[in-house]
Amino acid sequence: MTTAAILKHCYDITESYLKIDDRVTNNSTISIIKETQDLLISTKQIFLNEILPYWNPIKDNISISYNGGKDCQVLLIIYLACLYEYFYMAALNFNNLKLDTMNTFNNMNTTVKFALKAVYLRQENTFQIINEFIEESSKKYGLSLYKSNIGSMENSLKEYMIHEKWDCNYNTKQKAGIIIGIRRSDPYALNLKYIQQTDKNWPQFMRLQPLLDWKLRNVWSFLIYSNEPICKLYELGFTSLGGVNNTVRNLYLKKTKCNQNGDKCKDGTSTSSHLWNHFQWEFQHRFGSHNKDDHSEDMTIEDNSIDHEYLCNDTESYYPGWFLIDDEKERAGRTKRK
Ligand code: ATP
């Protein structure tokens, strides 16, 4: 795919999601979708009005921090969609062309060199499945991905900024910006702003964080609907991705007698302690596919020798990551392996 085609594809996903309407009859589904649509609109506005006029690939001063996780994948799709909208619409205004003249962007793409910069801060002992997903997906999305040496976040970021020849001093007027898929429910993230400078003792750049207000349920609704391949660990019961030494499947997703049907509990008790798939509608209406069955539980997992030892130690079955929509329990799998 050309860069233009990738951007257009992501733009089409976001537009399609925004057009999901009241045909959805299930109240809980429609309320998640409506909430996510509002968040999608405001995230797009942050990109279009507050980020891209100052930081963009043409100015060579923006990058996305990408580790293959669900949050940065959602943000990446929206970022690419906004690049399409921002540059395509700008070309339309300038040339006064009609909306359906798709050649505009394609022509523009041959004269403007986009380098979709991305950075992966390598950590020790990562799952091979994650590494492979990062490789495949960054190729697919046309990212020029810099993989740092293994080290602390600070050192890796410094290394990256030196690599990009970005000035990280306080006095620089136009600091580089790095897009980060952090959400308020992440550790120390409650009071963050959409755009803010890094703390004093860190390499100096602007943190661009337009996904802050999204909840777990919004991330899953959009990502499942997008029909994009996601990191396979989520299908195995992981809800947040770290290294092999500090990440296990989420215990709240363990199948028990009570929740084994994977459906809403019918005994009249509260559903909060029971797991079910809130995103059946999104699965059945995934972008680009119509009326497909719900494959949310039967996706096949490729064998992977390096991860095998870790993944096969767990003999119990787990529901996929998207069965959990309680933000407070999302990181329950990010602990020391016993
Ligand atoms: P998940 O929570 O499922 O792992 P995620 O990795 O996208 O999804 P977090 O782990 O909460 O989300 O991390 C927040 C954001 O910080 C990521 O979306 C990404 O932008 C950035 N980030 C975290 N770790 C790395 C890393 N090793 N390299 C590059 N960016 C990272």
Side-chain angles (χ1 to χ4, degrees):
M1 269 205 211
T2 63
T3 308
I6 295 157
L7 304 193
K8 165 92 167 59
H9 176 70
C10 293
Y11 176 77
D12 288 344
I13 291 171
T14 57
E15 286 302 288
S16 173
Y17 191 89
L18 290 173
K19 284 186 188 129
I20 300 173
D21 53 25
D22 295 336
R23 282 171 303 154
V24 190
T25 49
N26 180 313
N27 281 344
S28 131
T29 301
I30 192 60
S31 72
I32 293 179
I33 290 176
K34 283 198 163 148
E35 183 187 64
T36 311
Q37 286 173 330
D38 289 343
L39 288 163
L40 178 55
I41 290 169
S42 61
T43 298
K44 281 183 64 182
Q45 278 168 354
I46 297 169
F47 269 120
L48 295 172
N49 301 329
E50 296 175 45
I51 295 180
L52 294 182
Y54 308 102
W55 296 272
N56 73 51
I58 294 173
K59 291 183 182 165
D60 204 27
N61 60 0
I62 191 169
S63 181
I64 181 163
S65 59
Y66 186 69
N67 65 345
K70 61 187 183 319
D71 303 331
C72 53
Q73 189 177 0
V74 164
L75 197 53
L76 176 61
I77 295 169
I78 303 172
Y79 169 48
L80 300 185
C82 289
L83 283 176
Y84 181 81
E85 189 165 334
Y86 189 80
F87 290 108
Y88 178 52
M89 296 305 175
L92 285 178
N93 291 339
F94 185 73
N95 294 320
N96 201 21
L97 293 174
K98 285 186 183 159
L99 259 175
D100 58 356
T101 317
M102 292 307 298
N103 285 337
T104 309
F105 193 87
N106 290 328
N107 290 341
M108 189 178 145
N109 196 40
T110 58
T111 52
V112 178
K113 285 267 175 281
F114 278 102
L116 296 177
K117 292 182 194 297
V119 57
Y120 172 44
L121 310 168
R122 283 174 58 229
Q123 310 286 301
E124 271 178 351
N125 301 320
T126 47
F127 286 95
Q128 187 62 15
I129 290 181
I130 301 182
N131 294 336
E132 284 169 9
F133 181 73
I134 291 171
E135 284 297 327
E136 284 159 20
S137 55
S138 56
K139 255 188 219 144
K140 174 188 171 155
Y141 293 118
L143 302 181
S144 161
L145 184 72
Y146 179 84
K147 286 176 256 175
S148 75
N149 291 313
I150 293 171
S152 69
M153 287 276 180
E154 280 122 301
N155 285 343
S156 301
L157 282 165
K158 206 171 189 179
E159 174 195 322
Y160 178 57
M161 296 197 68
I162 291 168
H163 165 82
E164 290 293 351
K165 300 190 176 62
W166 281 341
D167 190 344
C168 33
N169 293 326
Y170 280 106
N171 299 328
T172 319
K173 263 192 191 161
Q174 179 62 70
K175 287 191 171 67
I178 299 186
I179 303 166
I180 305 171
I182 195 165
R183 296 187 287 113
R184 291 201 196 280
S185 50
D186 289 330
Y188 314 108
L190 193 61
N191 297 317
L192 292 178
K193 297 179 184 140
Y194 302 125
I195 299 174
Q196 68 184 93
Q197 196 166 314
T198 45
D199 291 342
K200 275 185 183 161
N201 46 352
W202 279 69
Q204 292 296 294
F205 61 86
M206 297 304 282
R207 299 170 56 141
L208 311 173
Q209 311 170 137
L211 203 72
L212 275 179
D213 297 331
W214 288 54
K215 303 267 195 243
L216 198 46
R217 56 182 180 264
N218 310 118
V219 168
W220 282 126
S221 176
F222 180 78
L223 198 54
I224 290 168
Y225 180 79
S226 77
N227 207 5
E228 294 292 285
I230 62 172
C231 180
K232 287 191 182 299
L233 286 182
Y234 293 119
E235 295 162 26
L236 293 168
F238 289 79
T239 52
S240 183
L241 308 181
V244 289
N245 295 330
N246 60 11
T247 313
V248 291
R249 299 168 210 233
N250 194 313
L251 284 178
Y252 291 104
L253 288 170
K254 208 176 200 174
K255 288 188 182 175
T256 62
K257 267 189 189 163
C258 184
N259 67 21
Q260 242 164 25
N261 292 330
D263 208 347
K264 244 184 195 169
C265 200
K266 308 251 178 2
D267 63 5
T269 56
S270 155
T271 55
S272 61
S273 59
H274 302 285
L275 294 165
W276 60 288
N277 181 6
H278 291 75
F279 307 105
Q280 283 171 14
W281 191 92
E282 287 88 334
F283 270 109
Q284 285 162 2
H285 299 82
R286 296 177 109 180
F287 177 73
S289 71
H290 299 290
N291 300 322
K292 291 251 172 76
D293 291 339
D294 181 359
H295 293 297
S296 55
E297 273 212 80
D298 60 16
M299 296 179 193
T300 50
I301 309 298
E302 285 160 25
D303 184 31
N304 188 300
S305 50
I306 298 183
D307 297 332
H308 201 70
E309 169 191 350
Y310 298 99
L311 299 176
C312 291
N313 278 344
D314 289 324
T315 48
E316 292 102 345
S317 301
Y318 287 74
Y319 287 109
W322 50 85
F323 272 56
L324 187 99
I325 59 165
D326 182 343
D327 290 83
E328 286 182 13
K329 295 176 179 159
E330 178 183 358
R331 285 187 171 249
R334 299 283 292 265
T335 51
K336 282 259 178 244
R337 183 175 286 272
K338 292 191 181 102

